[in-house]
Amino acid sequence: GGGDGMECAVDPFDSRYSYSTYVAGVTTRFYNNGNSRTVAGKDVYGITEEGAWVAPFLISEGDGNTMVFGFKNVWICRNIKTAGNPVWTKISDNLAGSNSENMSCLEQSPADLNLLYAVRSDNKVFRTENLLGNPVIWTNITANLPVNGTPSDLECHPYDANIVYMVLNKKVYKSVNKGGTWVNISGSLPAVDFNTIVFDKTSHEGLYIGTDAGVYYKDADMADWVLYGSALPVSVEVSELEIYNDPRDRSASKLRASTYGRGA
């Protein structure tokens, strides 16, 4: 988006639509990489608050018309591609905290579109199992975290709604009960910051971790993690991973890494 551009997304159901965010959650919608329009941000279509410097958002796993945004609260829009005015609805009410904290991560389950996790910058994690309902009911699952801290990223299993993965305080964790309990699956990973995690749908539980020392990979058939990518510098912070899984040809799948200071 230019300047201090933050998160980007392409509508997975209609690639003519794409989105770019600016500081505090100001979001621009593009049509065919042009015809731009601001569709989210403070004082935009009913939104009454700012978000973090990098505010999280997602396009629904099941519907390109639905966008979920993390400002200080979680907001939802069910007509984000409209030619008229998008309608935003706040679906959380401070979640038992002060209204000064920002959301830092959102994750929706591909296996259950009603299941969504929200991470807040004050080390708190919340879950809803009726995202598409009214009212949306939240459960605070912070007390279940294995250690204190704010998760950097969450990744839901694409086919099993009970399974979710988390990177937190230089460790990788797995839950098989929607964040009720967690198991450390870090193995011999180096003690560096872990920033992002993605699931490879074409593998047997293949996971990629973006760290401050390169990318690591492990699947269910492997005893431990391995450094992934011979041409990727290991002395670089991998800030985000995005994966495209080609359902017809695994060799056509793509993993893309953004780094802090050395490009993509």
Side-chain angles (χ1 to χ4, degrees):
D4 287 313
M6 303 302 180
E7 286 282 356
C8 301
V10 178
D11 185 331
F13 304 95
D14 186 346
S15 60
R16 295 175 298 176
Y17 292 90
S18 57
Y19 303 87
S20 175
T21 63
Y22 186 61
V23 296
V26 176
T27 304
T28 302
R29 184 189 72 196
F30 298 89
Y31 182 78
N32 283 334
N33 292 324
N35 191 20
S36 63
R37 178 182 180 186
T38 301
V39 292
K42 186 180 180 182
D43 300 325
V44 176
Y45 298 118
I47 298 172
T48 58
E49 56 194 27
E50 291 184 337
W53 180 252
V54 181
F57 79 97
L58 58 85
I59 300 169
S60 172
E61 295 277 356
D63 176 13
N65 290 302
T66 299
M67 179 178 286
V68 182
F69 221 114
F71 292 95
K72 296 188 184 308
N73 286 278
V74 182
W75 295 68
I76 192 168
C77 176
R78 304 180 192 276
N79 67 333
I80 196 64
K81 294 193 288 191
T82 181
N85 293 338
V87 176
W88 285 96
T89 303
K90 184 170 68 171
I91 58 173
S92 71
D93 187 14
N94 298 342
L95 292 175
S98 73
N99 206 30
S100 62
E101 301 295 340
N102 294 308
M103 293 295 166
S104 59
C105 177
L106 298 173
E107 173 67 8
Q108 183 186 27
S109 168
D112 180 359
L113 301 182
N114 269 299
L115 177 60
L116 180 113
Y117 298 89
V119 178
R120 199 169 63 191
S121 58
D122 58 347
N123 301 351
K124 290 185 170 57
V125 182
F126 304 88
R127 180 188 70 218
T128 180
E129 296 184 64
N130 72 325
L131 173 65
L132 305 179
N134 185 20
V136 176
I137 299 170
W138 294 90
T139 301
N140 187 340
I141 60 172
T142 307
N144 303 335
L145 295 180
V147 294
N148 187 47
T150 301
S152 302
D153 198 14
L154 297 171
E155 177 80 342
C156 288
H157 194 289
Y159 311 118
D160 188 336
N162 292 303
I163 299 177
V164 59
Y165 306 90
M166 173 177 67
V167 286
L168 168 64
N169 285 9
K170 300 180 173 63
K171 300 292 182 182
V172 187
Y173 297 93
K174 176 182 178 180
S175 172
V176 296
N177 52 10
K178 300 179 182 178
T181 56
W182 298 91
V183 175
N184 186 343
I185 60 170
S186 304
S188 61
L189 283 169
V192 297
D193 285 334
F194 301 156
N195 307 309
T196 180
I197 179 172
V198 293
F199 189 106
D200 182 357
K201 295 178 182 178
T202 66
S203 70
H204 185 196
E205 198 179 16
L207 297 168
Y208 296 90
I209 306 291
T211 81
D212 277 7
V215 176
Y216 287 81
Y217 174 78
K218 182 183 184 303
D219 62 36
D221 300 319
M222 298 167 58
D224 206 349
W225 300 81
V226 295
L227 186 65
Y228 186 84
S230 58
L232 182 70
V234 295
S235 58
V236 65
E237 175 185 335
V238 178
S239 54
E240 189 158 10
L241 295 173
E242 295 287 348
I243 192 166
Y244 166 70
N245 295 123
D246 192 310
R248 298 152 297 184
D249 179 8
R250 188 183 182 192
S251 66
S253 296
K254 296 287 186 293
L255 178 69
R256 295 177 172 89
S258 67
T259 71
Y260 191 80
R262 297 189 71 164

